[in-house]
Amino acid sequence: MANFQTFQLYLRALRKNFQGKLRDIKFNSKNYDVSLNIIQPYRIYEYSSIHLVQPITSFEEVLLNTIRKYKTNVWKISNIEDYKLYKLHNFCFLPALNIKTEKVIGCQLVDEWINQFENYHSTYWRLKTLSFRIINWISCHDIIFKETDLIYKSKVINSIVKQAKHLFKNINLLEQGFEKIVGLSALILVGISFTEYEKYLEIGLKEIEKELSNFINKDGFVKSKNPEDLYYTLYFLVIIHEWLLNSRRQTPIQITSYIHSLGICFNFLKLNNDTLPLFNGANEINIQKLDEIIRSRGYAFNKVENIFCGFGKIKYKKIEILIDGNTPANTSYAKNYQAGALSFELYSSGQKFITNTGSGKYLGSNLSFLSSTTAAHSTLNINDTSSCIFQKNKLITKHFGNSLINDLDIYKKEFKSDKETIQCIFAHNGYEKRFGIKFERQLTLFKDKNTIEGLDTLILKNKKKNFLSYSIRFHVHPDIRITKTMGNDILLSSDRGDGWIFRCPQVPTKLEKNLYLGNPDSIKENFFILLEGQIESELTNIIWYLEKAK
């Protein structure tokens, strides 16, 4: 069955590859460029703002300094990583420029970009890049349009509308989920900003409602199971609502309903250090700017605890633990999925101590694949294999990302709390078919002792391999100092004076090096704690502890 599904997926990938080549020929033709001729808008209405796009702004100093140094020559740079090229051409840096002192630079950058890339370009006119660019150009009205001459304004407006027309014609080429929501958001903003293109608003609102009904599950969480996708989906729905309010239009009831359900998930997953956990393809993202918009505009979301949207949460005073108890995303939304079922992250006094590796989705195929493995997560694996098996065909991964050959089921989810303890229990069967093993993880926080007890249980029913071994990894955040003591314990300490001691009485602890990919702009070396052993009996229990250092 798996082979048949792989073959079907391969045929679909071949078709997409062939269609993509034909489209490039079409898009580069003169006839297609003529088809993008536009109706000249009479004026642009200012319903978005720099403040509203702050949550998607890149404040990365290296990128900003490069732009400030090379100015318009920055568009001659092409020999950099795809991810940085994408950030450059989507103009996510534009809202970070100083309006008073760098307005001229901003205008020159936009002007020169239009001079060089006015017509379709297979790299710089990618639909996702183009969508962000439209949103940033229109929203940075004070930089681009305010107190500029009419010829320049007309040039920029014409470019925006031409790009929007290309996006409108090809909106269904965007991947389902978050990327399509970005594209539809850009069309909605164009429809609000230019009366001549109001149909983009009407169609965009209808299509985004359809996309949301497919992309959001019954818990109000995104089907990709990715907290980063949750962030961006909520963000774009919030700013669509704000655009409509500013233009004195009514927001469809379905969109306000989705804002509320996504907001509940957002409240559940957000942490005291203004971040979201690194599960299922997520990278580091600072949620502070979005949180400010939510609070200042009067959005109110219910608070839930315990187990919600597939995750478990243990929270007591300044200690926060999040556990991934989600089943894998289906193929349509699994592009950046990672096999990190039952992994956890530990936060203490706003500092992350135990982490997952993060996603290598922007860092090339090798790092993308390595970061998707179970070994890149703070959880257990068997015989150095992942709990899910990914497709490895290059053509399939090019078009469908981390699609799965074999997945898993979460068959147990329990939460218990009393005066002394808070406990989460999850279990999955990802290793049952291959090795005859089920894996159960129980995390218990003892309130008075500030101690976390982990009980990892392997249940062997039908032994399918002569040699079976387990490895449990605890990835330590790169900002944490690590000291191994003479007694097999490991001390984890932060610059803030907070510390935890890891110990496992029954298994020797090891320290090994790894790469932390949570911030793709700054890859860092980190360590992970490793426990290893053999599986010889029907029931194998591994008990470990994380104790707050006194």
Side-chain angles (χ1 to χ4, degrees):
M1 184 66 179
N3 288 336
F4 178 69
Q5 289 175 338
T6 299
F7 179 67
Q8 282 187 315
L9 211 55
Y10 181 72
L11 290 179
R12 286 173 61 192
L14 276 176
R15 184 182 177 188
K16 285 173 77 77
N17 205 53
F18 179 69
Q19 289 173 334
K21 290 178 179 179
L22 288 180
R23 274 195 300 272
D24 264 353
I25 294 170
K26 173 189 171 183
F27 291 162
N28 281 296
S29 69
K30 289 183 179 179
N31 286 340
Y32 185 74
D33 192 55
V34 170
S35 76
L36 296 181
N37 286 342
I38 61 162
I39 301 169
Q40 172 74 49
Y42 175 69
R43 61 168 291 185
I44 180 171
Y45 290 88
E46 189 180 351
Y47 294 130
S48 189
S49 66
I50 290 175
H51 174 66
L52 286 177
V53 292
Q54 290 287 341
I56 55 169
T57 302
S58 174
F59 293 94
E60 184 200 340
E61 283 302 317
V62 174
L63 177 64
L64 289 171
N65 289 337
T66 301
I67 289 161
R68 286 163 179 150
K69 179 180 179 180
Y70 293 102
K71 297 184 173 63
T72 56
N73 286 325
V74 78
W75 302 126
K76 296 176 182 178
I77 299 173
S78 59
N79 59 337
I80 57 174
E81 301 97 318
D82 273 358
Y83 172 59
K84 291 183 179 177
L85 205 62
Y86 157 71
K87 289 178 75 173
L88 189 62
H89 283 266
N90 72 12
F91 281 78
C92 63
F93 61 84
L94 199 58
L97 297 181
N98 187 300
I99 296 176
K100 293 181 179 179
T101 61
E102 296 178 314
K103 177 179 171 63
V104 173
I105 295 175
C107 291
Q108 289 173 344
L109 286 166
V110 172
D111 187 55
E112 187 58 28
W113 189 94
I114 296 170
N115 290 340
Q116 293 194 35
F117 309 112
E118 180 184 7
N119 297 325
Y120 173 81
H121 188 288
S122 59
T123 300
Y124 310 134
W125 278 54
R126 289 174 183 168
L127 295 179
K128 183 182 173 184
T129 307
L130 179 149
S131 299
F132 273 103
R133 184 164 58 239
I134 288 172
I135 292 169
N136 282 316
W137 282 10
I138 294 177
S139 299
C140 292
H141 189 280
D142 287 351
I143 293 176
I144 295 177
F145 295 107
K146 197 171 184 179
E147 298 175 359
T148 54
D149 65 76
L150 289 175
I151 294 174
Y152 169 76
K153 283 180 184 175
S154 178
K155 181 179 182 179
V156 177
I157 288 171
N158 288 348
S159 178
I160 289 172
V161 174
K162 182 177 180 178
Q163 292 176 68
K165 192 169 184 179
H166 172 67
L167 175 62
F168 181 74
K169 282 172 168 281
N170 301 285
I171 190 68
N172 289 326
L173 296 180
L174 279 167
E175 292 174 7
Q176 290 178 304
F178 154 62
E179 289 195 5
K180 194 164 186 181
I181 288 167
V182 177
L184 291 167
S185 300
L187 289 179
I188 289 167
L189 181 56
V190 170
I192 290 173
S193 304
F194 306 105
T195 55
E196 295 83 356
Y197 291 89
E198 199 164 2
K199 71 173 183 179
Y200 288 2
L201 168 63
E202 296 169 5
I203 294 170
L205 286 174
K206 288 179 182 177
E207 290 300 313
I208 207 166
E209 287 185 27
K210 291 179 186 175
E211 191 60 33
L212 289 167
S213 66
N214 292 326
F215 186 46
I216 297 175
N217 64 23
K218 62 182 180 180
D219 288 330
F221 193 52
V222 290
K223 289 185 179 177
S224 62
K225 317 295 177 76
N226 182 339
E228 188 178 346
D229 287 353
L230 165 70
Y231 171 88
Y232 281 113
T233 304
L234 174 61
Y235 163 71
F236 280 106
L237 294 190
V238 166
I239 62 167
I240 287 170
H241 178 60
E242 294 300 318
W243 294 337
L244 292 170
L245 279 178
N246 293 343
S247 64
R248 297 183 180 180
R249 291 178 171 91
Q250 190 171 3
T251 303
I253 293 173
Q254 194 174 3
I255 289 180
T256 57
S257 175
Y258 282 126
I259 289 173
H260 183 70
S261 59
L262 289 167
I264 294 172
C265 296
F266 177 73
N267 260 352
F268 179 74
L269 289 175
K270 72 178 182 180
L271 300 151
N272 288 335
N273 63 346
D274 290 324
T275 63
L276 295 171
L278 302 184
F279 294 134
N280 304 322
N283 279 324
E284 283 182 6
I285 191 161
N286 190 305
I287 64 173
Q288 189 175 6
K289 294 293 183 182
L290 177 57
D291 228 13
E292 286 174 5
I293 291 174
I294 287 171
R295 288 197 305 270
S296 65
R297 304 301 169 105
Y299 295 91
F301 306 127
N302 298 337
K303 289 189 176 181
V304 292
E305 298 295 338
N306 310 337
I307 295 175
F308 188 66
C309 59
F311 299 97
K313 187 174 188 178
I314 296 174
K315 186 173 182 178
Y316 181 69
K317 293 184 178 179
K318 295 182 180 181
I319 300 170
E320 295 176 291
I321 306 166
L322 276 165
I323 309 125
D324 183 10
N326 273 291
T327 54
N330 64 40
T331 300
S332 299
Y333 304 107
K335 182 179 180 181
N336 299 312
Y337 180 73
Q338 295 171 295
L342 276 56
S343 63
F344 79 100
E345 295 194 331
L346 167 64
Y347 306 78
S348 179
S349 301
Q351 172 67 58
K352 186 188 283 193
F353 278 78
I354 303 298
T355 183
N356 289 321
T357 296
S359 174
K361 59 192 173 188
Y362 301 122
L363 303 171
S365 57
N366 288 336
L367 284 178
S368 179
F369 174 74
L370 288 173
S371 69
S372 69
T373 62
T374 300
H377 295 77
S378 294
T379 188
L380 175 146
N381 70 0
I382 295 174
N383 281 17
D384 286 325
T385 63
S386 290
S387 55
C388 294
I389 301 177
F390 294 99
Q391 298 280 359
K392 292 185 179 179
N393 182 279
K394 289 184 178 179
L395 189 62
I396 292 176
T397 54
K398 176 184 175 182
H399 292 285
F400 298 103
N402 294 340
S403 54
L404 300 172
I405 297 174
N406 288 324
D407 59 9
L408 56 80
D409 287 321
I410 303 292
Y411 66 88
K412 181 184 283 189
K413 295 181 183 182
E414 293 180 10
F415 184 91
K416 301 174 184 177
S417 181
D418 55 39
K419 291 181 180 179
E420 297 179 353
T421 63
I422 306 173
Q423 186 179 83
C424 255
I425 305 171
F426 287 93
H428 76 66
N429 64 356
Y431 293 108
E432 189 173 21
K433 289 181 181 178
R434 285 170 285 162
F435 306 115
I437 295 174
K438 291 182 177 181
F439 169 43
E440 181 177 303
R441 167 162 278 181
Q442 174 181 297
L443 297 184
T444 306
L445 173 65
F446 293 88
K447 297 177 183 178
D448 292 341
K449 299 177 182 178
N450 282 334
T451 296
I452 300 162
E453 179 189 80
L455 171 59
D456 289 337
T457 301
L458 297 171
I459 305 161
L460 176 61
K461 288 194 174 180
N462 300 303
K463 193 171 183 179
K464 298 185 178 183
K465 298 280 184 180
N466 290 328
F467 177 79
L468 292 171
S469 65
Y470 66 83
S471 303
I472 309 174
R473 290 172 174 82
F474 304 83
H475 293 269
V476 181
H477 193 274
D479 292 342
I480 299 300
R481 295 188 301 273
I482 303 174
T483 306
K484 189 166 185 180
T485 69
M486 295 296 289
N488 199 40
D489 295 346
I490 294 174
L491 174 63
L492 310 176
S493 55
S494 74
D495 291 336
R496 302 175 187 178
D498 209 24
W500 288 80
I501 299 168
F502 180 91
R503 63 167 54 102
C504 181
Q506 69 191 92
V507 182
T509 55
K510 300 177 183 178
L511 279 176
E512 295 193 6
K513 290 183 179 180
N514 188 43
L515 289 178
Y516 177 75
L517 310 175
N519 180 0
D521 294 319
S522 178
I523 300 171
K524 295 180 179 179
E525 191 177 75
N526 72 324
F527 287 87
F528 62 86
I529 302 166
L530 179 64
L531 305 178
E532 292 180 305
Q534 292 186 16
I535 305 166
E536 297 174 333
S537 59
E538 291 184 359
L539 198 67
T540 302
N541 290 319
I542 308 101
I543 302 174
W544 49 267
Y545 300 93
L546 277 159
E547 299 174 3
K548 192 80 180 288
K550 297 177 181 178

